Amino acid sequence: MLRIGLLGASRIAPGAVIAPAAKRQDVTITAVAARDPARARDYAKTHGIAGVADDYAALIARDDVDMVYNGLPPSGHLEWTLKALEAGKAVLCEKPFAMNAGEAQTMVDAAAKAGLPLIEAFHYRYHKVMQQAVAMVRAGALGTLHRGYAMFEVPIPKTPDELRWRRDLGGGGLMDLGCYPIHALRSLFGEEPKVREARGVFEDGVDTKMTAALIFSGGVVAEIACAMKSETFGARLTLAGSKGRMEIINFLAPQMGCRFTTTVDGVTTEHPTDGPSTYEAQLAHVVDVMTKGVTPLTGGADAVANMAVIDAIYAAAGR
């Protein structure tokens, strides 16, 4: 039985961890902690969690917690991931992994020293749609890649308690949304890009929109775009190569509706998109890492590299 403790009474945890765990017999959510103990108690009652810790430190010290889910704002990822690792707990850390690449490297080094798993919760990467897309590209199905594009936009209302509108907490469109297109293109190209240029729209110190051109080997250009002031949800990924083209409409959460097509040598194929949700697939991988010694798919050098691209885009955009 994998016993998970929740750091933070977050809005993401019910869908990302609590619901997937409820479908399994080998995972249980044992406790939750929040800045306000009363909120933690209400959260535990709402979601059927037996344990409530007085604070974050008390949660990571519990004997009935094997892994900590760090669902805190990015500004809390470094401190509480390090403390969890020091307490002998593995960590599933929400994206974006840290405030910058330097923090990410510190976290990865600490996990290596402790000999414990530290996984970044890039749930989309575990769905069979993305798994198949990566496998096809790596196998040369599209031939030599010529260009790429990935975008993610969703309206995020500006409210006092919305962390994504708080730069000090690690908010911003690039951090919360753009991290996905960056990660997707890096995963598909299988290498690290350089940032050629970037343009952002800023409001109260937070980027509401960002576009950037990434340069992969051979001078191949791939563009990313994100926005948190938009009319609707959108998450699209396209790749073009010497043999054909790939397009995934909603690569981020295929369980919410997705269209995955390839056109190779003039033949268009629509690929299946069913199967376990991204979060269910992610938790299944976490269990394999914790119980079978499987190497984490996300985290480690991959997490540091993704934050490095985010840092470079901000620098290019003049922040």
Side-chain angles (χ1 to χ4, degrees), residues 97-98 100-112 116-120 122 182-183 186-187 190-193 295-310:
F97 196 63
N100 52 59
E103 286 192 359
Q105 188 65 63
T106 298
M107 293 159 62
V108 169
D109 290 345
L116 292 166
L118 169 56
I119 306 169
E120 185 170 16
F122 264 129
I182 293 168
H183 193 266
R186 290 182 48 253
S187 298
E191 59 185 60
E192 303 307 332
T295 300
L297 181 60
T298 57
D302 176 66
V304 177
N306 214 64
M307 289 307 309
V309 177
I310 290 174

Side-chain angles (χ1 to χ4, degrees), residues 7-308:
L7 270 181
S10 65
R11 284 174 290 181
I12 186 68
V17 182
I18 297 173
K23 294 184 177 183
R24 301 184 64 101
Q25 300 299 312
D26 53 359
V27 180
T28 184
I29 309 300
T30 53
V32 60
R35 285 176 297 172
D36 178 0
R39 185 183 177 202
R41 288 192 293 272
D42 290 343
Y43 193 90
K45 183 178 180 181
T46 298
H47 298 291
I49 300 170
V52 177
D54 291 336
D55 53 30
Y56 300 153
L59 181 109
I60 63 178
R62 290 178 67 108
D63 291 334
D64 60 353
V65 170
D66 306 308
M67 168 174 268
V68 167
Y69 170 68
N70 190 339
L72 301 174
S75 58
H77 288 181
L78 174 67
E79 177 183 3
W80 291 103
T81 292
L82 294 183
K83 288 181 176 177
L85 292 168
E86 290 169 2
K89 314 297 185 184
V91 180
L92 174 62
C93 186
E94 260 307 331
K95 39 58 57 182
F97 196 63
M99 293 289 276
N100 52 59
E103 286 192 359
Q105 188 65 63
T106 298
M107 293 159 62
V108 169
D109 290 345
K113 181 179 179 180
L116 292 166
L118 169 56
I119 306 169
E120 185 170 16
F122 264 129
H123 61 100
Y124 88 99
R125 183 66 178 85
Y126 296 92
H127 196 279
K128 79 172 187 180
V129 165
M130 196 62 189
Q131 298 276 44
Q132 183 177 358
V134 171
M136 290 177 66
V137 172
R138 299 281 177 86
L142 301 183
T144 302
L145 296 181
H146 290 164
R147 63 185 180 275
Y149 175 76
M151 60 80 73
F152 180 26
E153 61 182 26
V154 62
I156 301 176
K158 188 177 183 180
T159 60
D161 63 344
E162 178 52 73
L163 72 89
R164 291 170 290 187
W165 281 92
R166 293 271 304 274
R167 180 177 174 179
D168 60 318
L169 296 181
L174 183 63
M175 287 283 279
D176 189 68
L177 308 176
C179 61
Y180 285 104
I182 293 168
H183 193 266
L185 290 173
R186 290 182 48 253
S187 298
L188 288 162
F189 276 86
E191 59 185 60
E192 303 307 332
K194 295 185 181 300
V195 176
R196 185 177 71 182
E197 59 185 0
R199 293 185 177 89
V201 176
F202 295 86
E203 184 176 326
D204 296 332
V206 171
D207 55 297
T208 63
K209 181 179 181 179
M210 188 71 74
T211 59
L214 310 182
I215 308 298
F216 290 89
S217 64
V220 177
V221 178
E223 298 178 324
I224 69 102
C226 62
M228 62 182 200
K229 291 184 75 173
S230 64
E231 296 298 323
T232 59
F233 170 94
R236 181 165 58 91
L237 170 68
T238 61
L239 280 181
S242 57
K243 293 182 179 180
R245 184 175 184 273
M246 170 185 291
E247 181 178 58
I248 307 176
I249 303 299
N250 192 9
F251 71 95
L252 187 70
Q255 66 268 18
M256 295 172 62
C258 175
R259 188 166 186 262
F260 176 17
T261 58
T262 55
T263 300
V264 178
D265 295 331
V267 178
T268 298
T269 303
E270 187 159 339
H271 303 276
T273 61
D274 59 346
S277 73
T278 54
Y279 293 115
E280 290 169 10
Q282 176 176 262
L283 186 58
H285 180 76
V286 167
V287 171
D288 286 345
V289 170
M290 294 294 291
T291 63
K292 300 178 182 178
V294 171
T295 300
L297 181 60
T298 57
D302 176 66
V304 177
N306 214 64
M307 289 307 309

